[in-house]
Amino acid sequence: MREAEVSVTQTENELLKRLADIALDNDPIPTELYATYDVKRGLRNANGTGVLVGLTRIGDVVGYTIEDGKKVAVPGKLLYRGYDVADLIQDAESHGQFGYEQCVYLLLFGKLPTQAELDEFKLLLGSMRNLPQNFTEDMIMKAPSRDIMNKLARGVLASYSYDADPEDRSIQTILRQCLELVARFGTLVAYAYQAKRRFYDGKSMYIHNPAPDRSTAENLLRLIRSDKTYTPLEAKILDLALILHAEHGGGNNSSLTIHVVSSADTDTYSAVGAAVGSLKGRRHGGANIRVREMMDDIKANVKDWSNEGEIRAYLQKIARKEAFDRTGLIYGLGHAVYTVNDPRATILRERAEVLAKEKGLLEEFNLHRIIERVAPEVVYELHGDGKRICANVDFYSGFVYEMLNIPRELFTPVFAVSRIAGWSAHRIEEIVAGSRIYRPAYKNVGEPRAYIPIAGR
C-alpha cells in the first residue's frame, strides 16, 4: 500500500472512530424509563413469559403453566402439529427410517403421511436438491464468504434471480419455493463451506453432486466430506438433530422474523433471507459455538474431568466473571420457556452417549453430565433468585456435531438446514391466516428541540 493510501485509510479510521463515539453518546436510554412506560423489552412480560402477538397451529413449546398469575415449572415438551417430537423420533427409529423428511411433511401439511405419501414426498425433495444451472459457479465460487451463514443468506436471496416467477404469491408457488429451499439448503451450506475452505483456509475444495435417493442428513454428510463416506450411526444421529431443530413455535426470533417480514407481503426469498440473518446471531443459532468454546476452556483448566469439586470450583469462577469470557454466563444453561428440562437436550444427550462410546469420548461425555448437574446449583447459589434453569439443546448439540467431525463454522448452518422446515410452515401460515402487517409501537422519549441554522451551530 502506498504512503498516500495509508494516510487516507488512517484519516478515514479516525473519522469513523469519532462518529462512533458520537453515536454511542447519543443513543443510550435510561433503564428506568422502560419500567415507567411498561415496555415489554424483548417482547417479554415482567414474569419472563412472552408477549402474545400471534396464533399458530404449527409447533408448541411447553415448559411451564400459569397458575394464579404465576409460572409453575413442568417437564418440557416439544410438539409438532400436536404430536410429541419424541414420538416422531421413536417411530422413525423403530422402522429404521430417517425421520426428518416425515417431519417436514408434517409441519407443512399438518398431518402424518402414509408410507406412499412419504415416499412420493421424498422423491420430490430428491429431485430438487441440485442448485440451478451455473448457480454454484456464479453465486458461490465467485463471491465466497468467511461466514457460511452470510453466504447462505446471499444464496437464498440470489435464488430469486433463478425463479421464473418469484413474485407470485399463490400458495402453490410459495409451497414450491419453500420445498426447493428445504431441499437445497444442505447443498447451499456444503458448497459455501467448500468455497470457504478453498479461498480462505487454503485447503482443497470438493464439490460433490447431491444424491436424490438419500436423506437430508446423508446428503449433508457426503457433501461436506472429501470421500463422501459416513457411518449409519452418524447419519441417523444427524437426522435426529435435524428433527429436534426443525421447529420451535412461532415466538423464537427467526420464526417471528418470518412472520414479521411475510406480513409485509414480500417474496419468499426476502423473508427466508431475513430469518437466516436472525439465526446467525450468537443469542440464537450461534449459541452452541459459545458452548464449545466454554468447554474448551473448562477442559484446559480442569485437570481431573471426573472430579466434581474441581469442576464446581471452576464453574463458580466462570459465574463470578473470573474465568472464560468474563461475562458470568455458563453457556448451554437456561431457556426462555423450558424450566425443568429441555426435551431436545434430554433426547440428544441419550444419543450423544451412544456416539461417544463409538468415538472413544465417554470421558468428555461424562464431563458434560457433571456440568449439566452442577452448573444450575452454582447459578442458584450465586444469584439465589429461585429461578429454575436446565441444560438446553445447545449444551449437547455442539458436542454431537464435533463427534460427527462437523466443523464449528457449520454448526449454525446445520441448524438452518433443519429450521427451514419450520420457517416454511410459518411463512405459509402467515400468508394464509395473517391479515395485518406487524406494527408494534415504540415510545419516543426524546425532547422536542428548536432547529439551529448551520451558521449558528
Side-chain angles (χ1 to χ4, degrees), residues 87-349:
D87 293 332
L88 298 175
I89 292 169
Q90 193 278 329
D91 180 63
E93 291 180 343
S94 66
H95 290 87
Q97 295 182 330
F98 291 95
Y100 177 69
E101 287 69 31
Q102 175 176 248
C103 177
V104 175
Y105 188 101
L106 172 63
L107 290 172
L108 286 175
F109 307 117
K111 74 183 191 75
L112 293 170
T114 65
Q115 188 62 57
E117 289 171 333
L118 182 58
D119 291 342
E120 181 182 51
F121 185 63
K122 288 179 179 178
L123 286 174
L124 178 61
L125 289 180
S127 71
M128 294 175 165
R129 293 202 190 278
N130 282 304
L131 302 184
Q133 187 174 7
N134 299 323
F135 189 102
T136 303
E137 294 82 358
D138 294 341
M139 295 299 173
I140 295 179
M141 299 305 166
K142 289 184 178 178
S145 174
R146 293 181 180 86
D147 188 280
I148 310 305
M149 288 296 284
N150 174 275
K151 191 64 191 176
L152 176 60
R154 187 174 185 269
V156 171
L157 293 174
S159 297
Y160 181 102
S161 300
Y162 292 78
D163 190 323
D165 197 1
E167 291 290 346
D168 182 10
R169 300 293 196 276
S170 71
I171 293 303
Q172 181 174 332
T173 295
I174 291 173
L175 176 62
R176 186 260 303 164
Q177 292 168 338
C178 288
L179 289 175
E180 287 177 348
L181 291 175
V182 168
R184 293 172 182 169
F185 253 43
T187 311
L188 284 167
V189 162
Y191 288 3
Y193 166 66
Q194 295 294 351
K196 186 256 183 185
R197 279 173 53 89
R198 165 68 178 82
F199 292 100
Y200 290 99
D201 300 341
K203 298 179 181 179
S204 297
M205 177 175 66
Y206 303 92
I207 300 296
H208 309 306
N209 291 323
D213 60 338
R214 301 196 191 184
S215 68
T216 302
E218 291 174 298
N219 265 298
L220 185 57
L221 288 175
R222 73 188 299 276
L223 290 177
I224 65 174
R225 293 179 175 178
S226 60
D227 59 5
K228 300 185 285 187
T229 63
Y230 50 86
T231 68
L233 178 61
E234 287 178 326
K236 288 294 176 63
I237 289 185
L238 180 56
D239 179 68
L240 167 76
L242 295 180
I243 296 171
L244 291 174
H245 286 88
E247 159 62 5
H248 214 234
N252 70 82
N253 197 277
S254 55
S255 293
L256 176 63
T257 297
I258 277 281
H259 277 281
V260 171
V261 179
S262 294
S263 78
D265 194 28
T266 191
D267 65 278
T268 296
Y269 305 105
S270 294
V272 174
V276 172
S278 165
L279 190 71
K280 179 187 175 184
R282 289 179 292 183
R283 293 177 181 174
H284 194 4
N288 52 18
I289 297 175
R290 297 297 288 157
V291 174
R292 296 313 300 158
E293 292 169 347
M294 179 189 74
M295 290 303 300
D296 288 343
D297 181 75
I298 291 173
K299 289 187 292 182
N301 288 281
V302 173
K303 294 181 180 179
D304 185 353
W305 294 0
S306 65
N307 187 319
E308 182 175 319
E310 187 179 356
I311 294 168
R312 181 186 293 272
Y314 196 72
L315 290 173
Q316 289 171 337
K317 291 182 67 176
I318 293 176
R320 293 195 301 262
K321 304 181 181 181
E322 298 170 0
F324 185 41
D325 61 1
R326 305 299 200 275
T327 63
L329 298 175
I330 300 179
Y331 295 95
L333 289 187
H335 191 269
V337 179
Y338 298 126
T339 48
V340 176
N341 71 298
D342 180 339
R344 302 169 301 170
T346 302
I347 294 171
L348 204 55
R349 179 210 306 142

Side-chain angles (χ1 to χ4, degrees), residues 51 132 158 202 212 356 364 434 448-449:
V51 174
E364 184 169 349
R449 296 186 288 179

